[in-house]
């Protein structure tokens, strides 16, 4: 299993980015996926999740209405569209693999993360 | 979606055992047998150590064990080794397909 995130960078407050996570080594469409973030020097925060088919999406209250999770199973890629960014969204964003296609109760594989910095 | 409560740090010596607590509520830890624990070394991605309260993934040492009582889950590491020095995070299912993490515990002294 290999997960590789990309798309992070420096963005001004109010700006947008699209994060990507390229997956390999497993049947991508058969597993739910999530994004988990970690602010500098801080703990982990679950951000969003999506079912294997992409038909069901879930969000933490802190990002609801600003972030959109999606996936392209033909490309084995997970996405996170992040809009209306704020300083407290500054974090390393990890993609993480769930254990089955319809549920996420733990994450058995993680990518190395992509850093999003929100600053003027 | 309030973060689960973990001690900021615990200290141990090689060969000893330590336990890290993770306290939540009846809406998360106490309501489901879906607590997981992750180990994170500096600059690295988290690694799954325990899932479903007390199950160990293949390849994880049996020195790591998990348990739960009421709204509090615990991770015990026995026979401490230098490579166990890391940050540890608990995570619980919180209903409606959401999850919540603890604030993390730094294991030091090894």
């Amino acid at each position: 299993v290999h997960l590789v995130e990309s798309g992070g960078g420096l963005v001004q407050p109010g700006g947008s980015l699209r994060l990507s996570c390229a997956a390999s080594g497993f049947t991508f469409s058969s597993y739910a996926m999530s994004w988990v973030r970690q602010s500098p020097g801080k703990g982990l925060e679950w951000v969003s999740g999506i079912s294997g088919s992409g038909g069901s999406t879930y969000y933490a209250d802190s990002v609801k209405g600003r972030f959109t999770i999606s996936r392209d199973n033909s490309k084995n890629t997970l996405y996170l569209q992040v809009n209306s960014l704020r300083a407290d969204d500054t974090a390393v964003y990890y993609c993480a693999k769930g254990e089955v296609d319809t549920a996420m109760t733990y994450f058995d594989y993680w990518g190395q993360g992509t850093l999003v910095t929100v600053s003027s | 979606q309030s973060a689960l409560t973990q001690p900021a740090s615990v200290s141990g010596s090689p060969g000893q055992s330590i336990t890290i607590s993770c306290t939540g509520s009846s809406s998360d830890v106490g309501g489901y047998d879906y607590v997981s624990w992750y180990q994170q070394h500096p600059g690295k991605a988290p690694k799954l150590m325990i899932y479903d309260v007390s199950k160990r993934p293949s390849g994880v040492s049996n020195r790591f064990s998990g348990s739960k009582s009421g709204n509090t889950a615990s991770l015990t590491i026995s026979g401490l080794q230098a490579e166990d020095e890391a940050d540890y995070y608990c995570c619980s299912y919180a209903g409606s397909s959401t999850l919540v993490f603890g604030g993390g515990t730094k294991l030091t002294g090894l």
Side-chain angles (χ1 to χ4, degrees), chain A residues 34 36 38 42-46 58-62 94 102 104-108 110-112, chain B residues 1 34 36 38 40 43-48 51-52 89 91 93 96-99 101-103:
Chain A
S34 271
V36 177
Q38 185 170 34
K42 300 292 180 65
L44 300 170
E45 179 188 15
W46 177 80
Y58 312 97
Y59 299 93
D61 289 343
S62 58
Y94 295 101
T102 56
M104 298 170 298
T105 58
Y106 62 87
F107 307 114
D108 52 5
W110 298 62
Q112 286 302 305
Chain B
Q1 296 177 343
Y34 293 134
S36 53
Y38 302 87
Q40 186 180 36
K44 300 295 186 181
K47 175 187 176 184
L48 178 66
Y51 68 98
D52 292 355
Y89 294 91
C91 179
Y93 182 72
S96 302
S97 296
T98 65
L99 296 104
F101 282 92

Side-chain angles (χ1 to χ4, degrees), chain A residues 46-69:
Chain A
W46 177 80
V47 170
S48 182
I50 187 168
S51 62
S53 68
S56 297
T57 58
Y58 312 97
Y59 299 93
D61 289 343
S62 58
V63 306
K64 203 171 293 183
R66 299 188 300 124
F67 291 9
T68 302
I69 191 171

Side-chain angles (χ1 to χ4, degrees), chain B residues 13-70:
Chain B
S13 300
Q16 287 186 332
S17 295
I18 60 96
T19 296
I20 299 171
S21 62
C22 169
T23 301
S25 70
S26 58
S27 299
D28 38 63
V29 174
Y32 308 94
D33 287 333
Y34 293 134
V35 176
S36 53
W37 290 88
Y38 302 87
Q39 177 192 65
Q40 186 180 36
H41 287 106
K44 300 295 186 181
K47 175 187 176 184
L48 178 66
M49 305 303 285
I50 295 287
Y51 68 98
D52 292 355
V53 176
S54 60
K55 298 177 181 177
R56 268 189 319 275
S58 175
V60 171
S61 170
N62 59 9
R63 297 185 298 105
F64 291 83
S65 62
S67 63
K68 190 187 86 167
S69 178

